[in-house]
């Protein structure tokens, strides 16, 4: 079946990508060929190496998980030399997820990625697990507009802005990103959550709060994709709790052009390709969703 799509001028073999932070260039290829997916989205990358947050960083919850990894990564130079080249040599379409504590951080990473063979950039203005940058940007329409505009001015790569669900009206943030020149949007990042240890009375995560992901957030993600897709004119990559092809199909019906598989891959490392095959079966059964 013809599954290819075009998103922000880039052709994907199909509409499936990985959600940032849940794909490992070292481990995931042991389970499937990354070139089978429409694209692979890699973990947030910052100007220098970030160590991430203290452990414990992960807690299980009903129908999902909390994480407070805190964007641990080796820094953009190492990313470009290792991960990016390995994935490109394997024939994958690569989306680099860009992280920063301040505007200058994002600009530094983008300047370096702009002169590589990376296919697309995804601005993570929605991470709930870093004190500065991340979600602090993503909840403020003016900050999202300004950052998107400055990034677009220094790169020819297509720019995806990744939105946070931790806002009063996600459509306002989506509109600001579109006005700033975003080529596409991705949503949703995780929702702020907490678990408390009954014995100590203290939060289980060392960071206190973490980001909630997995099936628990899918109805929220679907409703946000539905609303945002009707309020902007740029394509949407939908994510949040996709475990099966039927879940992915539901996101396409809500208005997404493509979808990302995240937490599911931490349970079943083959989930992205399994979801792809299940999505194909779903399209045969129900037909291609009309955009
Ligand atoms: C362990 C973990 C690490 C993540 N790291 C990132 C990241 O580096 N950048 C980012 O934009 N989102 C990150 N996310 C958010 C996911 O990309 C995705 O938006 C979210 O988990 C919802 O999708 P899911 O329910 O399918 O996991 C991370 C999520 C998890 C669970």
């Amino acid at each position: 079946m013809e599954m290819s799509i075009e998103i922000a001028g880039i052709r994907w073999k199909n509409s499936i990508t990985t959600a940032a932070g849940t794909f490992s260039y070292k481990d995931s290829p042991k389970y499937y060929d990354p070139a089978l997916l429409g694209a692979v989205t890699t973990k947030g990358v910052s100007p220098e190496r970030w160590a991430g947050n203290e452990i414990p960083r992960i807690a299980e919850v009903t129908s999902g998980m909390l994480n407070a990894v805190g964007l641990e990564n080796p820094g953009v130079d190492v990313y470009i030399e290792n991960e990016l080249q390995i994935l490109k040599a394997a024939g994958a379409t690569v989306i680099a997820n860009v992280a920063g504590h301040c505007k200058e951080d994002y600009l530094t990473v983008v300047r370096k990625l702009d002169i590589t063979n990376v296919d697309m950039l995804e601005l993570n203005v929605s991470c709930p697990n870093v004190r500065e940058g991340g979600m602090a940007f993503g909840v403020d329409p003016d900050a999202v507009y300004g950052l998107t505009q400055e990034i677009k001015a220094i790169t020819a790569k297509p720019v995806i802005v990744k939105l946070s669900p931790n806002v009063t009206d996600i459509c306002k943030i989506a509109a600001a990103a579109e006005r700033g020149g975003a080529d596409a949007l991705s949503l949703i990042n995780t929702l702020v959550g907490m678990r408390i240890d009954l014995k100590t009375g203290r939060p289980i995560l060392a960071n206190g709060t973490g980001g909630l992901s997995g099936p628990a957030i899918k109805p929220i993600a679907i409703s946000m994709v539905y609303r945002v897709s009707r309020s902007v004119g740029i394509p949407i990559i939908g994510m949040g709790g996709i475990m099966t092809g039927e879940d992915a199909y539901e996101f396409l019906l809500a208005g997404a052009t493509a979808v990302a598989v995240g937490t599911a891959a931490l349970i079943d490392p083959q989930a992205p390709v399994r979801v792809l095959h299940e999505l194909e079966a779903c399209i045969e059964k129900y037909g291609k969703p009309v955009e």
Side-chain angles (χ1 to χ4, degrees):
M1 183 192 300
E2 175 51 41
M3 290 286 283
S4 74
I5 57 160
E6 196 184 287
I7 188 156
I10 306 292
R11 185 141 291 276
W12 293 17
K13 275 181 198 148
N14 53 66
S15 47
I16 308 283
T17 184
T18 55
T22 63
F23 171 86
S24 153
Y25 79 103
K26 284 188 188 138
D27 295 327
S28 304
K30 292 179 195 158
Y31 299 95
Y32 62 88
D33 174 0
L36 289 176
L37 300 180
V40 289
T41 306
T42 52
K43 172 91 191 150
V45 63
S46 50
E48 310 288 339
R49 176 182 168 272
W50 282 1
N53 291 326
E54 299 290 308
I55 53 166
R57 299 163 158 193
I58 302 275
E60 281 192 34
V61 301
T62 310
S63 289
M65 64 180 278
L66 289 172
N67 95 81
V69 173
L71 298 177
E72 178 179 344
N73 79 93
V76 66
D77 294 329
V78 175
Y79 169 81
I80 290 170
E81 272 167 40
N82 289 339
E83 180 162 3
L84 178 59
Q85 293 326 314
I86 289 170
L87 292 172
K88 288 300 293 177
T93 297
V94 181
I95 304 173
N97 184 269
V98 178
H101 284 315
C102 58
K103 193 167 70 181
E104 203 43 56
D105 280 356
Y106 289 92
L107 292 169
T108 302
V109 173
V110 169
R111 266 188 215 106
K112 291 192 171 180
L113 287 170
D114 182 57
I115 49 172
T116 68
N117 50 358
V118 75
D119 296 281
M120 304 177 91
L121 306 175
E122 180 177 62
L123 301 185
N124 178 5
V125 291
S126 43
C127 180
N129 300 323
V130 288
R131 265 183 196 81
E132 298 146 341
M135 203 174 89
F137 271 105
V139 297
D140 175 355
D142 293 337
V144 168
Y145 169 72
L147 182 67
T148 310
Q149 207 185 30
E150 286 198 41
I151 296 283
K152 280 295 292 176
I154 61 159
T155 183
K157 305 277 184 195
V159 173
I160 305 160
V161 176
K162 182 157 179 183
L163 304 182
S164 171
N166 302 296
V167 291
T168 315
D169 184 358
I170 195 166
C171 292
K172 286 208 175 105
I173 314 289
E178 185 178 38
R179 240 183 319 117
D183 298 286
L185 300 172
S186 55
L187 58 145
I188 58 175
N189 208 317
T190 55
L191 285 123
V192 175
M194 181 186 273
R195 276 203 64 197
I196 295 178
D197 185 318
L198 302 191
K199 286 195 220 85
T200 65
R202 286 202 293 271
I204 291 177
L205 298 172
N207 190 53
T209 58
L212 177 64
S213 63
I217 70 170
K218 197 188 90 181
I220 300 168
I222 292 281
S223 81
M224 290 186 164
V225 168
Y226 188 91
R227 286 178 50 230
V228 171
S229 69
R230 279 152 183 78
S231 70
V232 295
I234 48 179
I236 291 173
I237 303 169
M239 69 197 77
I242 295 176
M243 307 299 280
T244 66
E246 295 201 345
D247 294 334
Y249 190 76
E250 201 176 333
F251 273 85
L252 299 185
L253 289 177
T257 299
V259 296
V261 178
T263 300
L266 305 180
I267 300 161
D268 165 16
Q270 287 178 334
V273 275
R274 176 178 52 73
V275 168
L276 169 61
H277 296 316
E278 291 170 358
L279 177 63
E280 282 169 347
C282 235
I283 291 175
E284 284 208 344
K285 186 169 170 190
Y286 300 109
K288 251 195 179 154
V290 251
E291 277 186 31

